[in-house]
Amino acid sequence: MTIEILDYDPAWAELARHAIGEVIVALPGRVSEVEHVGSTAVPGLAAKPVIDLMAATSSLDMVLAGEAHLEEIGYRRLDTGMPDRLFYRREGTPVAYHLHVVGADSWETRNERLLRDHLLQTPGDRDEYAGLKRELADLDAETYTRRKTPLVQRMVDTARDLRGLPRVDVWEE
């Protein structure tokens, strides 16, 4: 199965705002921040039709305890093997949703947030990334992701360097 890459759609921002509101209502007091991250959060960037949200919590166990409320709004937890993260997916049309829940102590240094901000501030990198995504779209999901990794790593390294943060592998294992 190939990857669907779409031109940027301004509707993604409103879909994300609505989904953020739903998550906050579903997890009152369990998350301290929720943001739109990923390619759909960057105006002008081609993307898969998936809204990625990232939420910060003081306790992953507290979110797990409220997980039934996420299930009520369509989110299902998937085991991704990523440490210190809960990952949920919600199917939908015209987009699906991914919810990444991470510890508040790592919020400021999360690569997804750093990459989003870098792409918002660096149109040349945004366009290079969009071109690579389109070039790789006929591949399967795993190959697509692995072939994007060197460019994503370079951009995340730049973003971390500019903030005086240590470099880390973009793959959490």
Side-chain angles (χ1 to χ4, degrees):
M1 186 159 104
T2 60
I3 303 297
E4 181 181 22
I5 301 294
L6 304 176
D7 288 337
Y8 177 77
D9 184 342
W12 291 339
E14 182 55 35
L15 291 169
R17 276 191 291 280
H18 181 75
I20 287 168
E22 290 177 315
V23 168
I24 290 169
V25 168
L27 297 173
R30 297 176 197 261
V31 293
S32 55
E33 306 266 356
V34 185
E35 291 182 0
H36 184 194
V37 297
S39 295
T40 58
V42 180
L45 181 57
K48 294 183 290 185
V50 177
I51 304 291
D52 282 287
L53 305 177
M54 183 167 272
T57 184
S58 61
S59 166
L60 293 175
D61 288 337
M62 194 167 50
V63 172
L64 284 171
E67 188 170 78
H69 300 294
L70 286 174
E71 290 174 358
E72 289 171 4
I73 59 171
Y75 286 94
R76 301 290 176 257
R77 184 165 38 97
L78 302 174
D79 183 12
T80 62
M82 290 185 278
D84 304 316
R85 177 188 303 244
L86 299 172
F87 177 81
Y88 299 87
R89 181 173 170 87
R90 180 170 82 180
E91 298 299 329
T93 301
V95 296
Y97 297 84
H98 290 168
L99 173 62
H100 307 257
V101 183
V102 300
D105 59 336
S106 66
W107 182 251
E108 294 300 324
T109 61
R110 283 290 170 171
N111 287 332
E112 295 86 350
R113 296 180 70 243
L114 296 173
L115 178 61
R116 176 206 55 204
D117 292 349
H118 175 78
L119 292 169
L120 286 168
Q121 298 163 4
T122 316
D125 281 359
R126 179 201 64 209
D127 295 345
E128 181 181 5
Y129 190 35
L132 180 62
K133 291 168 124 204
R134 290 189 184 286
E135 181 181 314
L136 301 176
D138 63 342
L139 301 172
D140 64 272
E142 183 177 336
T143 305
Y144 168 85
T145 299
R146 292 202 182 283
R147 294 230 182 125
K148 286 189 327 174
T149 298
L151 179 59
V152 170
Q153 184 71 58
R154 178 177 57 81
M155 291 186 291
V156 167
D157 286 348
T158 298
R160 294 182 80 82
D161 290 348
L162 289 170
R163 289 168 179 79
L165 297 170
R167 291 184 177 190
V168 297
D169 192 343
V170 293
W171 284 103
E172 296 175 30
E173 299 183 64

